[in-house]
Amino acid sequence: MKAGAAVVLFVSAILIAGCNGAQSALNAEGAAAVQLKHLIIGIVVVCSVVWALVMVVLVLALLRARTPRESPSSESERRMGKLVTAAVAATVVIIAGLTIASFYATRGLGMSEDATLAIKVRGQQWWWQFIYDDVDPAKSFQTANEMHIPVGVDIRIELESSDVIHSFWVPSLAGKRDLIPGRQNVITIRAERPGVYRGQCAEFCGLQHSHMALFVIAENMAAYQRWAAAQRASSVSSADPEATAGKALFMRKPCAACHTIRGTEASGSTGPDLTHVGSRQTIAAGLLDNTRGSLAAWIADPQTLKPGNNMPMVPLSSDELRQLSAYMESLK
Amino acid sequence: MTNDNKPAQPTDLMFGDDELERRLAQTWRTPAGVWGALTTVDHKIIGRRYIVTAFVFLALGGLLALAMRLQLAQPEARFIGPDRYNQIFTMHGSNMMFLFAVPVMEAMAVYLVPLMVGTRNIAFPRLNAFSYWIYLAGGLLLWISFALDTAPDVGWFAYVPLSGPQYGAGKRADLWAQMITFTEVAALAVAVEIVVTVFKQRAPGMSLDRIPLFVWSMLVTAFLVIMAMPAIMLASSTLILDRLVGTHFYNPAEGGDALLWQHLFWFFGHPEVYIIFLPAVGMVSTIIATFSRRPVFGYLPLVMALIATGILAFGLWVHHMFVVGLPKLGESFFTASSMAIAIPAGIQIFCWLATLWGGQPVLKTPMLFVLGFIVTFVIGGLTGVMVASVPFDTQVHDTYFVVAHFHYVLVGGAVFPLLGAIYYWFPKISGRMMSETLGRWAFALIFAGFNLTFFPMHILGLEGMPRRIYTYQPEMPWAGMNMFVSFSALILSLGFLVFFVDVIRSTRSGQIAGENPWGASTLEWATSSPPPCFNFRRIPVVGARDPLWSQPDELTVAGGLRTDRRELIVSSVVEAQPEASESSPRNSIWPLLAALATTVMLIWSIFSPWAVIWGSIPIGITLTGWFWPKQTPEDES
Ligand code: HEM
Ligand SMILES: [Cu+2]
């Protein structure tokens, strides 16, 4: 009974983890990922059969050894020669088949020419910058680590890097593609269902490569447009006195040198744009859930939570810390 | 041959067996003591040393792997921090590839090839001594930097710009690049020796179609080493230039290109994998034949498959770069070529199965490892076919799926045959047998431990776990399987422990082996175990592919080599007709001194470009000493 309960717990833990943004090639929710999953299953099945056949022959050969035989005659050698030739021919056929299947899959995954929306992704050590450009510069905005997209349409993702090579990988939506300094890569993604899809940097990029997650939040067009409109707006100052004090601190302390908060004089570009940081689900590229407590912990000591990351520790009194985290939380 | 020797010159035709052995030993021996150890040029002593050193690096690399598994057993563990972890996986990969896998295969060849082709020493024996010292220096350099907490931390393929001047702090990436130079110089030296030994020093009558398969595999491997080397030399030198003198080969802001590095590295790096695998093919072919009690089926197809693999190995480097955004046409080409390499691999597997089928397999420990090899290598080969497909690869590239894949081919495909080969040739090298009981235990633990450790990694990869992460978050569904993998790694290590215990125990107290304990067919078994310093009392004459099976009673021998100085037979490339007798260099301290001078220059050059100029002076001096003409008369033909 106990074991049964443990299994139920385990399975539900996985399901909960799934809701929190599954990150698995086998949990395909995007058009490309579904095709890839079929290809993967197909190739794995073919290869498993091949392996099983080889093993059967191996076992039979070993069992045969128990019956004593006369030494190899040219007749039996010739027969074996034919069998080996046939096996090689079969290998050629299978390999050719897999190659062709692979070509077709690649063709099927071709770039969509008429994407509804283009999002620029810049990889940074160790976070993601998402730039939503608009022909009207006033309508452009950027955010970090959390990308919203409308469901059911093709999204063109333009990949660039500002430092080293990273790789954009949201396995439930599509295969990965590298972000290479000095080059621009493009990949098309499309979510068929609303949901939160987790992704993670897949090319080793230094100390905090392990903590470079991103979330793609797919929602219906109306919800997406509400979100985009909210993001376009400048930050709104809260009336809360603690938050107001936090805002002043932010401008006075080194924070503003690295972060932008639209609507204020903070316009640094080293770290993520914080204009609406309070509306995101996680901070520090998926490291912590976004709560007032975790914001305070992060600001107090980023180097212990994410060793080596590019945000320095800024000495703060406990009051200052409280005010800053209140301000951050208010930036919805 | 020198049939018209003047009577003043003693040759092997003039003495009885005992007297001949005494005189040859006098000429070829390595003096006892430290001086002897430092000056020897005997390929067996150097080969043994090389093998032992490589296995020490294997053990060290294994400890690093255990450290990684300890850290990864639980989410967000704080056992090892990111900086150390990055050093550890870089060390593990670089150590396993450059200090263990490639050198150990060449070391086996240094020991075995001269014996298998029936000659008295390897070609260029002083270069051989030099090669070992340089290899040792490169290994020490890397491990000392690790002990000082300044080891490279950019992965074993050191992608720019992460390893470039802007992001690679300190001297870490330079140490990595220079370690490559050390090991590649060492590997290149051995490769040249092997090519010349195989082409020019084969026993009379060993025509090309009678060369043992292990020797063929090493010959092809040696060519791969020689051809892959320029790319990595170019890559690591340009990297050091970027870092040291501010060139911009890899700096996109100044017109350089980050992808250029990947092309250069993998043009070398992919063949590198076959440099590790092809010798294993030779080992498997040898062991299967001996324990199936019949010649290997399909000698010619196997040789062709070796050569085809060697050629194809240079046509698929781009499959390491399927997610960098290549033109579609290029992707298709490299998919096809990567898939195509499965065909020679298939030929090999089928020929081995046929050998088993048509023979009487005896399941001694070496054979167990070969069977384990077939089971696991076929899996590794098939996952290789999977990642050769571009769309498939976009989901598994740089994940634990790939970690699983390359361990199946490296450990299953090369280390299993290597362990089998150690069990197989240990009696020849040490004169004693290893324990069959411990051998079975070692095999069972390693085989089970390996599969339990690495098979689940395929699933972890598909479930989204990237490689080279020092930790993962508790909300990811990977913790259970990682714990299982880490536990299984302990079983695997226990297996290796049993193996090492067996080696040490058997060296002291194993059963005495005798000349040919397995009833094998190749020439190394035609001399005592361990072989005398001159290898063969009289040089055998080969009349068949399996000399000890087809001429079981007494091999015919060639005569006429001098006994008062080191002499070898030089023979023709194709037919192995004896052409001349040539003198072989005597022991010398100069290779060690030259290696020391080279080491100083290479390490110094990490810090200053001028080292290349000033550092070459001592090298020049040592090389002059090395090649100083002695009053040996010209070779006779
Ligand atoms: C003894 C058992 C072994 C274990 C338990 C083991 C474990 C591991 C693990 C966990 C990694 C992944 C590191 C990461 O991505 O963070 C790794 C990487 C690697 N291993 Fe092993 N390994 C073993 C033996 C070997 C051997 C024998 C070889 C080569 C002949 C080898 C070659 C490599 C290479 C080349 C890498 C890639 C390193 C990199 O990412 O730069 N390993 N190993
Ligand atoms: Cu990254």
Side-chain angles (χ1 to χ4, degrees):
Chain A
M1 233 33 271
K2 252 199 174 146
V7 169
V8 171
L9 266 178
F10 184 66
V11 170
S12 39
I14 289 181
L15 288 181
I16 291 166
C19 299
N20 193 3
Q23 174 178 315
S24 167
L26 302 176
N27 181 4
E29 298 283 359
V34 170
Q35 273 199 46
L36 289 175
K37 184 176 164 184
H38 291 154
L39 180 78
I40 289 174
I41 291 175
I43 296 188
V44 169
V45 167
V46 171
C47 289
S48 308
V49 170
V50 170
W51 181 79
L53 287 177
V54 174
M55 290 307 112
V56 167
V57 175
L58 177 63
V59 170
L60 288 181
L62 293 177
L63 290 179
R64 237 173 79 94
R66 301 205 181 154
T67 52
R69 273 181 329 277
E70 69 290 8
S71 52
S73 67
S74 59
E75 173 54 29
S76 65
E77 294 289 289
R78 210 166 323 117
R79 233 184 8 249
M80 274 192 333
K82 281 194 187 133
L83 284 176
V84 168
T85 314
V88 173
T91 311
V92 173
V93 171
I94 293 173
I95 291 295
L98 294 179
T99 309
I100 291 167
S102 165
F103 288 162
Y104 273 103
T106 311
R107 284 257 295 284
L109 292 171
M111 286 303 147
S112 152
E113 295 304 327
D114 42 21
T116 314
L117 177 64
I119 304 172
K120 194 180 283 170
V121 174
R122 283 184 77 82
Q124 309 253 14
Q125 280 180 325
W126 291 275
W127 58 280
W128 302 90
Q129 183 181 17
F130 299 134
I131 302 168
Y132 290 68
D133 271 332
D134 199 292
V135 275
D136 172 8
K139 286 182 143 182
S140 303
F141 65 91
Q142 55 170 285
T143 178
N145 302 327
E146 245 172 65
M147 159 197 291
H148 287 237
I149 59 168
V151 290
V153 295
D154 285 339
I155 315 288
R156 179 184 156 89
I157 304 282
E158 299 167 357
L159 303 162
E160 289 169 11
S161 166
S162 24
D163 39 50
V164 302
I165 302 177
H166 304 273
S167 194
F168 180 87
W169 186 37
V170 186
S172 304
L173 296 181
K176 63 181 72 63
R177 183 59 54 105
D178 285 353
L179 297 80
I180 302 171
R183 288 179 181 249
Q184 197 193 61
N185 269 332
V186 177
I187 186 174
T188 307
I189 61 171
R190 175 190 174 112
E192 301 299 357
R193 257 189 297 273
V196 180
Y197 305 105
R198 191 180 194 273
Q200 187 166 355
C201 175
E203 177 63 62
F204 176 65
C205 58
L207 280 177
Q208 282 301 334
H209 168 57
S210 317
H211 291 125
M212 190 167 162
L214 69 122
F215 294 90
V216 175
I217 298 171
E219 48 203 1
N220 61 45
M221 188 53 98
Y224 166 74
Q225 268 160 357
R226 267 198 308 281
W227 173 83
Q231 294 289 313
R232 262 179 221 122
S234 293
S235 67
V236 266
S237 302
S238 130
D240 174 46
E242 218 169 25
T244 318
K247 180 175 179 183
L249 262 176
F250 191 95
M251 304 304 151
R252 209 167 63 237
K253 295 276 177 186
C255 319
C258 289
H259 295 281
T260 293
I261 297 179
R262 271 176 288 126
T264 74
E265 63 263 39
S267 58
S269 58
T270 311
D273 183 307
L274 299 179
T275 309
H276 298 289
V277 64
S279 70
R280 299 183 202 143
Q281 299 182 359
T282 66
I283 57 171
L287 182 70
L288 300 169
D289 282 340
N290 190 359
T291 65
R292 186 144 167 200
S294 59
L295 280 166
W298 171 258
I299 297 164
D301 192 356
Q303 289 303 325
T304 302
L305 289 174
K306 191 168 171 177
N309 89 84
N310 290 322
M311 170 155 161
M313 196 178 101
V314 178
L316 295 167
S317 71
S318 56
D319 280 344
E320 291 173 327
L321 193 57
R322 203 156 3 87
Q323 292 157 355
L324 271 175
S325 37
Y327 177 52
M328 292 292 106
E329 199 193 16
S330 75
L331 292 173
K332 296 284 188 202
Chain B
M1 296 294 309
T2 53
N3 289 328
D4 52 348
N5 281 314
K6 293 167 209 79
Q9 294 172 348
T11 75
D12 54 6
L13 298 170
M14 299 159 59
F15 305 104
D17 286 354
D18 292 344
E19 175 62 10
L20 177 59
E21 278 190 14
R22 204 186 55 72
R23 286 178 179 251
L24 283 174
Q26 189 59 34
T27 308
W28 286 87
R29 74 191 190 88
T30 292
V34 177
W35 185 251
L38 298 181
T39 56
T40 186
V41 296
D42 182 335
H43 75 99
K44 295 178 295 302
I45 298 177
I46 293 169
R48 211 168 54 203
R49 203 176 263 177
Y50 231 125
I51 297 172
V52 170
T53 313
F55 270 94
V56 169
F57 286 129
L58 170 70
L60 289 172
L63 291 178
L64 294 180
L66 283 181
M68 288 191 283
R69 285 317 320 173
L70 185 59
Q71 165 72 8
L72 292 178
Q74 284 173 297
E76 292 291 357
R78 295 246 153 177
F79 176 68
I80 300 172
D83 179 55
R84 244 324 177 187
Y85 188 89
N86 293 352
Q87 290 182 46
I88 290 179
F89 79 69
T90 304
M91 284 290 293
H92 171 78
S94 310
N95 171 80
M96 288 298 197
M97 299 297 281
F98 299 112
L99 300 180
F100 162 66
V102 174
V104 82
M105 295 300 178
E106 297 209 313
M108 294 294 279
V110 164
Y111 194 99
L112 291 169
V113 164
L115 288 164
M116 290 179 111
V117 302
T119 184
R120 293 214 157 124
N121 202 351
I122 201 164
F124 314 127
R126 290 186 178 176
L127 185 63
N128 197 29
F130 174 81
S131 161
Y132 173 77
W133 297 122
I134 280 287
Y135 157 63
L136 183 66
L140 289 177
L141 173 71
L142 192 67
W143 277 94
I144 289 174
S145 77
F146 183 68
L148 300 177
D149 200 11
T150 58
D153 57 354
V154 288
W156 84 275
F157 35 83
Y159 276 4
V160 295
L162 192 59
S163 62
Q166 258 185 301
Y167 301 96
K171 288 291 168 194
R172 295 175 170 202
D174 308 273
L175 283 163
W176 176 86
Q178 216 55 313
M179 182 276 296
I180 303 281
T181 310
F182 277 94
T183 55
E184 296 315 327
V185 167
L188 192 58
V190 173
V192 170
E193 294 154 24
I194 294 201
V195 170
V196 176
T197 309
V198 175
F199 276 161
K200 294 307 292 177
Q201 290 185 203
R202 301 200 307 277
M206 188 185 275
S207 49
L208 282 183
D209 59 345
R210 292 178 185 157
I211 297 180
L213 278 169
F214 177 72
V215 175
W216 260 118
S217 74
M218 285 313 309
L219 182 64
V220 177
T221 305
F223 274 108
L224 252 60
V225 171
I226 294 170
M227 290 190 291
M229 209 58 59
I232 189 68
M233 286 299 185
L234 194 60
S236 60
S237 314
T238 43
L239 178 63
I240 291 198
L241 282 175
D242 265 15
R243 294 179 54 90
L244 192 63
V245 301
T247 52
H248 296 294
F249 289 102
Y250 302 118
N251 182 356
E254 300 287 338
D257 187 357
L259 281 189
L260 174 63
W261 170 266
Q262 300 190 14
H263 284 293
L264 285 176
F265 184 87
W266 289 116
F267 188 81
F268 149 84
H270 195 82
E272 172 92 346
V273 180
Y274 290 93
I275 289 169
I276 295 167
F277 173 64
L278 289 183
V281 170
M283 293 168 176
V284 170
S285 305
T286 311
I287 295 174
I288 278 203
T290 299
F291 291 96
S292 299
R293 306 264 170 267
R294 54 156 288 157
V296 76
F297 178 87
Y299 176 91
L300 194 61
L302 280 171
V303 172
M304 289 304 163
L306 281 170
I307 296 174
T309 312
I311 294 171
L312 278 174
F314 285 94
L316 19 104
W317 78 94
V318 169
H319 74 201
H320 296 270
M321 301 166 61
F322 278 161
V323 300
V324 301
L326 295 167
K328 284 267 182 315
L329 184 65
E331 286 184 349
S332 312
F333 173 80
F334 285 100
T335 291
S337 64
S338 309
M339 293 269 187
I341 205 152
I343 294 166
I347 295 177
Q348 288 157 354
I349 295 280
F350 300 136
C351 285
W352 292 325
L353 288 175
T355 311
L356 288 171
W357 188 273
Q360 308 261 305
V362 183
L363 298 188
K364 295 279 189 193
T365 306
M367 192 64 160
L368 291 180
F369 276 105
V370 165
L371 296 179
F373 154 83
I374 295 182
V375 176
T376 48
F377 174 68
V378 173
I379 298 183
L382 289 168
T383 53
V385 167
M386 299 179 194
V387 292
S389 155
V390 174
F392 194 118
D393 191 53
T394 60
Q395 282 291 27
V396 297
H397 178 79
D398 268 329
T399 71
Y400 263 83
F401 187 94
V402 167
V403 177
H405 157 69
F406 67 71
H407 284 89
Y408 266 83
V409 284
L410 286 172
V411 181
V415 178
F416 282 13
L418 173 73
L419 294 178
I422 296 288
Y423 273 90
Y424 180 70
W425 277 298
F426 187 88
K428 180 50 60 186
I429 297 176
S430 72
R432 292 172 184 277
M433 306 295 285
M434 287 177 73
S435 151
E436 198 57 32
T437 318
L438 288 180
R440 279 164 192 270
W441 272 106
F443 169 72
L445 288 168
I446 291 178
F447 181 76
F450 170 78
N451 283 290
L452 292 174
T453 306
F454 288 100
F455 195 83
M457 289 188 192
H458 293 111
I459 302 169
L460 278 173
L462 286 170
E463 284 190 347
M465 181 162 164
R467 73 194 274 206
R468 297 177 163 180
I469 53 175
Y470 78 99
T471 192
Y472 48 91
Q473 290 168 257
E475 58 265 30
M476 307 311 292
W478 306 326
M481 214 177 292
N482 270 301
M483 179 61 95
F484 178 82
V485 163
S486 294
F487 174 77
S488 308
L490 287 178
I491 304 180
L492 178 57
S493 330
L494 192 64
F496 275 101
L497 193 66
V498 173
F499 168 77
F500 283 117
V501 167
D502 193 9
V503 168
I504 293 166
R505 193 206 63 95
S506 307
T507 314
R508 301 220 196 99
S509 56
Q511 235 178 47
I512 300 297
E515 268 191 15
N516 189 358
W518 310 117
S521 71
T522 38
L523 285 186
E524 76 274 27
W525 304 101
T527 183
S528 63
S529 309
C533 55
F534 45 89
N535 287 359
F536 298 92
R537 190 168 50 220
R538 299 176 199 277
I539 302 301
V541 174
V542 176
R545 202 174 279 161
D546 294 295
L548 304 197
W549 284 348
S550 45
Q551 307 153 270
D553 304 323
E554 191 65 34
L555 285 173
T556 26
V557 291
L561 289 179
R562 299 235 317 240
T563 55
D564 59 337
R565 60 172 203 164
R566 298 184 172 188
E567 262 190 6
L568 315 160
I569 296 180
V570 173
S571 51
S572 64
V573 174
V574 178
E575 294 294 332
Q577 295 296 336
E579 287 176 332
S581 54
E582 193 186 50
S583 68
S584 173
R586 281 170 299 166
N587 299 343
S588 159
I589 192 67
W590 289 109
L592 173 58
L593 298 180
L596 282 173
T598 311
T599 302
V600 169
M601 189 275 273
L602 285 178
I603 295 183
W604 186 6
S605 71
I606 297 178
F607 299 93
S608 157
W610 293 106
V612 179
I613 300 186
W614 300 120
S616 354
I617 295 172
I619 298 183
I621 295 173
T622 52
L623 289 184
T624 312
W626 178 336
F627 292 109
W628 197 259
K630 309 279 181 323
Q631 298 80 24
T632 38
E634 265 313 292
D635 302 328
E636 302 154 45
S637 34

